[in-house]
Amino acid sequence: MGSTSDWETMRHAARILDALEVPHETQVVSAHRTPQRLYDYATDAAGRGLKVIIAGAGGAAHLPGMAAAMTHLPVLGVPVESKALKGMDSLLSIVQMPGGIPVGTLAIGKPGAINAGLLAAAILATSDEALSARLQAWRAQQTADVATDPAAE
């Protein structure tokens, strides 16, 4: 994530990954304030065994795109909601990548972070049968948890 304040949003991705028993790491890597840290993180990610990067950022939100420019790994961008523009600035910054540098862009805020965790797990599950089973069980439980009686919730 681009700053410690982004953790309020990005913790939801970590929570999903924890629930699905997907090993992961969380770090603050700012495209603007720690450019060398970003360079080192993105260029070394595959060599350290990472398979997918979830990058959450607000405002100018350059972190996902810059990370994607420096690695062949899939990068999932989560626009963090900003105070000034409610995350629209972040969304537009992440989604408007030039052709050739893809960033899978999710929804603004908590829903985007949740879905980034689920999408990262789904990507990894294509080559991990145990994770695939856990993901399928998680989704089945999500379905089972939907009440049929609106007064019951």
Side-chain angles (χ1 to χ4, degrees):
M1 65 207 81
S3 71
T4 55
S5 63
D6 296 340
W7 181 242
E8 180 59 31
T9 296
M10 298 309 294
R11 68 186 174 89
H12 300 287
R15 191 183 82 232
I16 291 292
L17 295 170
D18 286 338
L20 294 170
E21 301 173 35
V22 175
H24 61 279
E25 60 188 28
T26 57
Q27 290 191 26
V28 175
V29 180
S30 171
H32 301 112
R33 290 169 292 148
T34 64
Q36 187 63 50
R37 187 184 306 171
L38 168 58
Y39 177 83
D40 294 342
Y41 187 87
T43 58
D44 295 344
R48 292 187 304 108
L50 298 184
K51 305 275 189 227
V52 179
I53 295 174
I54 300 173
H62 288 122
L63 178 61
M66 290 301 298
M70 292 185 253
T71 184
H72 68 279
L73 298 176
V75 175
L76 307 177
V78 178
V80 173
E81 187 172 340
S82 59
K83 290 181 178 141
L85 298 173
K86 304 291 186 210
M88 286 301 296
D89 49 345
S90 311
L91 173 66
L92 294 173
S93 180
I94 297 170
V95 81
Q96 292 297 322
M97 289 301 297
I101 309 293
V103 173
T105 307
L106 287 297
I108 296 169
K110 179 180 175 180
I114 291 169
N115 285 341
L118 290 168
L119 184 55
I123 291 167
L124 296 171
T126 63
S127 61
D128 182 335
E129 289 183 26
L131 176 56
S132 179
R134 292 192 304 272
L135 181 58
Q136 290 175 58
W138 189 94
R139 295 203 46 179
Q141 185 61 54
Q142 175 182 248
T143 299
D145 288 345
V146 175
T148 56
D149 179 359
E153 288 189 355

